Amino acid sequence: AQKVTQAQTEISVVEKEDVTLDCVYETRDTTYYLFWYKQPPSGELVFLIRRNSFDEQNEISGRYSWNFQKSTSSFNFTITASQVVDSAVYFCALQRTGRRALTFGSGTRLQVQP
Amino acid sequence: NAGVMQNPRHLVRRRGQEARLRCSPMKGHSHVYWYRQLPEEGLKFMVYLQKENIIDESGMPKERFSAEFPKEGPSILRIQQVVRGDSAAYFCASSPATGIYGYTFGSGTRLTVV
């Protein structure tokens, strides 16, 4: 069975602080995909990143960066110099190769204070 | 170039009524997925459909819930005899038939059962 754990229920930071959101997953598959989505207060789901399990290179996109560690089954997400607009719930998700369903974590609510 | 369209955005039903949620996939996408998000929780996979076929309904409750994706028209998620516990956000996503298994999510339908 697949499982995604986001142990941080809620994080509050002050603007310009760096913040890391943790994601730990469980799967018996050797190939799989990992995702991060953002859900702002308006409620829609915004795709942030998709990572293949074979690709352990860290990725940076502007203020966002992702650290994939297959040895610890973690796919952590860091926001550098956070902004108020980053306030949202962030979800990590896992997809088995050959299956279409995503398994989501329970989400981390990030509150960025001005 | 519209994205995944879900309607209505908000739906209020009395206990015992039927709820019909609609999802029009992105142009060129022939696969549709439904997810449910209970309050303060992550998304849970419900069902995966292709045109006129249910491919994976492993996440669908056994009773009162059904889904279809007809040859013409949107995909419909139907909940009969709604109960308070059905109150949730229901998200639809679509993807193309081939290529990477990426999703595009709609903005969701928020169902409230009173």
Side-chain angles (χ1 to χ4, degrees):
Chain A
Q2 331 303 310
K3 186 177 179 183
V4 176
T5 301
Q6 294 180 256
Q8 303 151 308
T9 307
E10 193 159 343
I11 300 175
S12 183
V13 300
V14 177
E15 212 170 13
K16 297 184 184 174
E17 281 186 30
D18 298 347
V19 58
T20 295
L21 310 182
D22 298 334
C23 173
V24 174
Y25 60 92
E26 294 174 33
T27 180
R28 291 182 181 173
D29 295 343
T30 54
T31 59
Y32 45 88
Y33 295 95
L34 295 163
F35 298 78
W36 276 93
Y37 286 88
K38 174 183 180 180
Q39 188 175 42
S42 50
E44 74 272 22
L45 279 167
V46 179
F47 168 81
L48 296 178
I49 190 171
R50 172 183 178 269
R51 173 52 54 87
N52 185 313
S53 58
F54 285 123
D55 182 5
E56 289 197 63
Q57 262 197 324
N58 290 334
E59 181 152 343
I60 298 173
S61 176
R63 295 185 298 108
Y64 295 170
S65 62
W66 290 270
N67 183 355
F68 178 31
Q69 300 267 354
K70 205 167 180 180
S71 58
T72 56
S73 298
S74 66
F75 186 42
N76 297 337
F77 172 34
T78 297
I79 302 174
T80 303
S82 59
Q83 300 175 2
V84 173
V85 293
D86 296 328
S87 297
V89 180
Y90 290 86
F91 292 100
C92 180
L94 170 70
Q95 183 184 44
R96 298 173 67 182
T97 303
R99 282 211 65 200
R100 301 291 183 119
L102 296 181
T103 300
F104 280 82
S106 54
T108 297
R109 182 178 299 277
L110 174 65
Q111 191 74 31
V112 182
Q113 309 286 353
Chain B
N1 191 17
V4 178
M5 304 300 293
Q6 288 190 250
N7 66 80
R9 286 297 305 272
H10 300 275
L11 181 62
V12 179
R13 284 287 177 265
R14 295 186 184 278
R15 280 178 295 170
Q17 289 185 322
E18 178 179 287
R20 280 182 175 244
L21 288 62
R22 293 175 185 76
C23 170
S24 296
M26 277 187 72
K27 189 176 181 180
H29 286 190
S30 57
H31 294 208
V32 164
Y33 316 83
W34 285 94
Y35 285 78
R36 177 165 65 174
Q37 184 181 24
L38 294 171
E40 305 301 322
E41 292 187 17
L43 281 75
K44 297 283 195 292
F45 169 77
M46 298 179 76
V47 62
Y48 158 37
L49 309 103
Q50 296 175 17
K51 289 277 187 184
E52 300 184 285
N53 275 311
I54 296 175
I55 307 302
D56 180 356
E57 55 181 349
S58 57
M60 283 282 268
K62 295 288 181 249
E63 298 176 348
R64 302 186 297 108
F65 285 71
S66 62
E68 62 176 7
F69 188 16
K71 191 175 180 182
E72 301 290 337
S75 174
I76 307 286
L77 179 68
R78 183 180 175 211
I79 311 172
Q80 295 179 289
Q81 299 175 324
V82 295
V83 300
R84 288 241 170 92
D86 297 331
S87 295
Y90 292 83
F91 286 91
C92 169
S94 72
S95 72
T98 57
I100 64 171
Y101 291 170
Y103 283 14
T104 300
F105 276 93
S107 297
T109 293
R110 273 107 189 126
L111 171 66
T112 302
V113 179
V114 297

